[in-house]
Amino acid sequence: MIVDLILTGILIYILWLLLLAKPSRFPPGPPIWPFIGNIYQLRTWGPYLYKSMTEMKRRFGEVAGFFVGPNPIILVSGLDAIKEISFREDLSGRPLFFHHKMDKAVNGILFTTGERWKEQRRFTLRHLRDFGFGKTSMENITIEEIEAVFAGVDKSLEGMEKSWSKPIVVHEILGTANINVIWHILAGRRYSFSDPYLNQLLNYIKEVIAGNEIGGKLELAFPKIVAMFPFLSDAMANCEKREKVKSFIKKDVQEHKKNIDIENPRDFIDIYLAEKEKRKDDPGSTFTDDQLVGVGLDLFAAGYDTTFNTIVFSLLYMILNPEVQSKVQEEMDSIIGNDRLPSFQDRDSHRLPYTEATVLEILRCSTVVPMSVPHAPLHFMKDTEFRGHVIPKNAQIFLNLYELHHDPDIWGDPQNFRPERFLNDEGKLIRHEALIPFGIGKRSCLGESLARNNVFLFFACLMQRYSLRVPEGEPNPSDDPIGNITIMPKPFRVQVKKRH
Ligand code: HEM
């Protein structure tokens, strides 16, 4: 009996050492529970992971460490530490998620590393940035989508042009506008808002994004168990949805191949296929059909709901802060008037400083990618050091962007929506180095200029044309966002009135 007790004690001690002991010089964090690690303390299963991360920074400082199941997570907070880590080559890798392990190959940009990532990122960035190819300029593409949104909103105002509309759900106003912008860049055409093909694609993309959640998913903590018993999680179903989005892109790639004119590329798919052809005899080329589909998937996954959610937030902040809405509209009326739409030129020549400052404040308050996209030690090769701590080779690194953008030591009154913080005494725009919603450094957002353009133009055009308010008699909606890898406001309603 005593021997049994001693053996059980030794077994528990060994298990404790194996399961609970942190690696030496692992960053400070809460005690680790057997098997589940810190899933409970982080509340990783809920919609408020970014809030747990704010709390963890307060308790454990700028570099904190946790475990989700057996997997180490490092949380890096504060501008200097985030900048430092974002420029470190050896920490510019990405973790591999369940679907990558299932795919057995990683394509695209978001999760690739090494030469493939460098070449694909450089190529895509160049062609997104100087979007000089194709017959229509980027601004025209965006305006086309904005006008489609106008048409939808105007429809709900039919017969009541001078009065407030019935309450409408904001998430529905914007329809498929953003997905169309990306589709246009990729495949050179747009679909009508009600097109079933586009709406089906949109639904799959939403599900792929939801399936990308970081945090408490079983497959993240215990990928091997889920691979053995797939019915335990929705991970396999998510893999299937990714395949469906890929099949949409593959179909377009095949169609492009039938009538491509290499000398006159129409869109990104053409430009990519032309590059693939040019490099066909180069054994080091990373241009393949699978890679093209991977890039397309990443542009949808990284570009669609980030931009969409930011625009939804912009409208939420305007109904919650009607005095800001009025100031933006006054600026529109005095600088642009009513005969034409605002343009990138207006912004680039700083003719709309208050509107620009409002967009910066929208980006700060919303921080739609609150913990960035996880980084990882490059190629999972070896444990690495950061500020005296050990980062295990299989760690995921979260960058605490939401906390940075809401840190009272930096912003004073972060909870207030106050565009004036981005204006000097003469009303001119000032940049703030702690505002980094697109990340910074080696892995910074590839779609940053596209996203800034889209958010600015959608917001400015909507403000010029409509006034928005909380529906009469209804309480103010909450500005407490929900989500995981990306966040968004809970669905809310507005009343709309045409301004001119
Ligand atoms: C408001 C909108 C957006 C926000 C706030 C945003 C934010 C971010 C953030 C925080 C990262 C991770 C940076 C890091 O790992 O350090 C990222 C990466 C990325 N974003 Fe965006 N993004 C937005 C829109 C877009 C758009 C429109 C596209 C393209 C259509 C895009 C494509 C990407 C890609 C491909 C990456 C991965 C870059 C890499 O791993 O090298 N994003 N984004």
Side-chain angles (χ1 to χ4, degrees):
M1 176 71 180
I2 292 178
V3 175
D4 285 354
L5 277 176
I6 291 171
L7 283 177
T8 313
I10 291 172
L11 197 66
I12 290 175
Y13 181 66
I14 292 170
L15 272 176
W16 183 84
L17 283 180
L18 285 175
L19 296 171
L20 296 180
K22 298 180 187 183
S24 88
R25 290 194 294 126
F26 190 69
I32 306 166
W33 293 8
F35 298 110
I36 62 170
N38 300 118
I39 287 179
Y40 179 74
Q41 294 101 320
L42 294 176
R43 305 279 190 279
T44 55
W45 61 85
Y48 296 113
L49 185 57
Y50 67 94
K51 283 191 179 171
S52 313
M53 293 302 177
T54 298
E55 167 69 10
M56 292 298 153
K57 186 239 175 172
R58 202 184 53 72
R59 283 174 61 193
F60 300 107
E62 295 202 329
V63 188
F66 324 99
F67 278 81
V68 169
N71 305 311
I73 299 221
I74 310 294
L75 175 68
V76 176
S77 310
L79 182 61
D80 289 344
I82 290 177
K83 263 175 144 172
E84 194 180 325
I85 214 152
S86 300
F87 283 98
R88 285 253 312 248
E89 176 82 24
D90 58 341
L91 294 172
S92 66
R94 295 278 193 212
L96 289 187
F97 288 137
F98 186 77
H99 51 80
H100 297 124
K101 291 178 185 157
M102 290 289 108
D103 283 357
K104 297 199 174 69
V106 188
N107 284 310
I109 297 166
L110 258 172
F111 291 98
T112 45
T113 49
E115 282 313 307
R116 175 191 296 269
W117 165 69
K118 275 192 188 143
E119 187 168 54
Q120 295 295 321
R121 181 180 159 104
R122 213 180 301 126
F123 180 85
T124 309
L125 200 52
R126 190 165 76 238
H127 293 294
L128 280 187
R129 192 177 280 155
D130 48 44
F131 192 63
F133 58 85
K135 291 193 176 59
T136 3
S137 76
M138 191 64 231
E139 184 161 277
N140 289 347
I141 292 173
T142 315
I143 293 288
E144 206 174 337
E145 296 310 321
I146 291 170
E147 282 175 345
V149 172
F150 285 172
V153 177
D154 288 356
K155 210 162 171 208
S156 66
L157 280 166
E158 251 163 29
M160 41 203 291
E161 273 75 14
K162 293 269 169 275
S163 54
W164 289 97
S165 71
K166 285 192 289 233
I168 23 186
V169 180
V170 161
H171 293 62
E172 287 164 16
I173 296 181
L174 299 169
T176 45
N178 272 299
I179 207 81
N180 247 339
V181 171
I182 300 177
W183 194 250
H184 210 138
I185 294 172
L186 205 63
R189 59 182 145 101
R190 71 176 301 274
Y191 293 89
S192 85
F193 271 24
S194 54
D195 189 293
Y197 186 78
L198 188 67
N199 279 286
Q200 205 187 6
L201 173 69
L202 181 64
N203 287 336
Y204 288 140
I205 290 170
K206 282 184 184 160
E207 288 170 15
V208 165
I209 293 162
N212 258 345
E213 276 185 5
I214 43 182
K217 294 213 145 195
L218 194 62
E219 66 270 22
L220 292 173
F222 306 107
K224 289 195 178 124
I225 296 182
V226 170
M228 270 191 289
F229 307 105
F231 58 86
L232 288 174
S233 141
D234 56 3
M236 289 309 232
N238 287 330
C239 290
E240 279 165 30
K241 283 166 204 154
R242 285 172 61 80
E243 288 309 314
K244 290 210 167 109
V245 179
K246 283 196 211 164
S247 68
F248 273 77
I249 305 169
K250 275 182 197 160
K251 192 164 159 259
D252 251 82
V253 171
Q254 292 315 325
E255 276 172 23
H256 274 63
K257 280 185 179 174
K258 283 185 210 152
N259 48 21
I260 186 172
D261 171 1
I262 300 258
E263 298 308 317
N264 296 299
R266 298 155 292 185
D267 48 42
F268 186 80
I269 294 183
D270 271 0
I271 288 226
Y272 195 100
L273 290 172
E275 184 71 14
K276 184 185 146 207
E277 179 62 22
K278 201 168 96 193
R279 304 271 305 275
K280 69 176 190 295
D281 297 324
D282 171 1
S285 166
T286 58
F287 290 83
T288 63
D289 281 6
D290 282 349
Q291 181 55 42
L292 169 56
V293 173
V295 172
L297 181 69
D298 283 355
L299 295 184
F300 282 129
Y304 163 66
D305 85 330
T306 45
T307 313
F308 180 85
N309 293 358
T310 309
I311 297 170
V312 172
F313 268 115
S314 75
L315 304 185
L316 175 66
Y317 296 138
M318 288 308 101
I319 59 168
L320 293 177
N321 301 279
E323 68 297 343
V324 176
Q325 182 176 172
S326 303
K327 281 190 195 170
V328 172
Q329 288 166 337
E330 277 163 28
E331 190 174 70
M332 288 293 151
D333 293 349
S334 66
I335 307 291
I336 312 285
N338 174 26
D339 297 335
R340 67 172 181 91
L341 291 173
S343 67
F344 294 153
Q345 171 66 21
D346 295 317
R347 182 200 49 188
D348 297 343
S349 54
H350 300 300
R351 299 173 73 219
L352 299 169
Y354 192 83
T355 308
E356 265 195 89
T358 306
V359 170
L360 294 183
E361 184 68 341
I362 290 161
L363 289 169
R364 180 190 74 81
C365 288
S366 56
T367 314
V368 294
V369 195
M371 289 156 303
S372 192
V373 179
H375 287 221
L378 203 54
H379 310 310
F380 324 108
M381 293 292 271
K382 56 178 174 35
D383 293 356
T384 312
E385 284 237 342
F386 182 68
R387 296 196 161 189
H389 302 288
V390 160
I391 301 199
K393 61 183 176 192
N394 59 339
Q396 291 189 38
I397 304 164
F398 291 0
L399 310 181
N400 213 349
L401 299 183
Y402 193 89
E403 194 279 334
L404 176 70
H405 291 166
H406 293 82
D407 181 351
D409 291 341
I410 297 176
W411 306 99
D413 59 344
Q415 71 290 354
N416 293 337
F417 188 89
R418 200 168 55 77
E420 287 75 9
R421 70 177 87 246
F422 293 107
L423 294 171
N424 67 14
D425 293 344
E426 292 157 19
K428 293 214 170 87
L429 196 74
I430 40 175
R431 306 261 165 207
H432 199 303
E433 65 159 354
L435 181 67
I436 48 167
F438 300 96
I440 194 166
K442 301 203 173 295
R443 281 281 183 174
S444 68
C445 176
L446 179 141
E448 175 169 350
S449 59
L450 179 66
R452 284 188 190 274
N453 284 347
N454 270 334
V455 172
F456 168 80
L457 212 55
F458 268 84
F459 175 68
C461 290
L462 285 166
M463 285 296 101
Q464 182 198 39
R465 189 174 175 97
Y466 304 108
S467 285
L468 284 90
R469 71 174 188 193
V470 177
E472 219 169 16
E474 290 189 11
N476 277 357
S478 158
D479 66 350
D480 201 16
I482 50 167
N484 190 291
I485 192 157
T486 58
I487 53 177
M488 63 173 160
K490 293 172 197 137
F492 63 97
R493 308 198 308 167
V494 293
Q495 281 181 298
V496 179
K497 188 162 78 169
K498 244 178 158 164
R499 298 190 57 240
H500 300 287

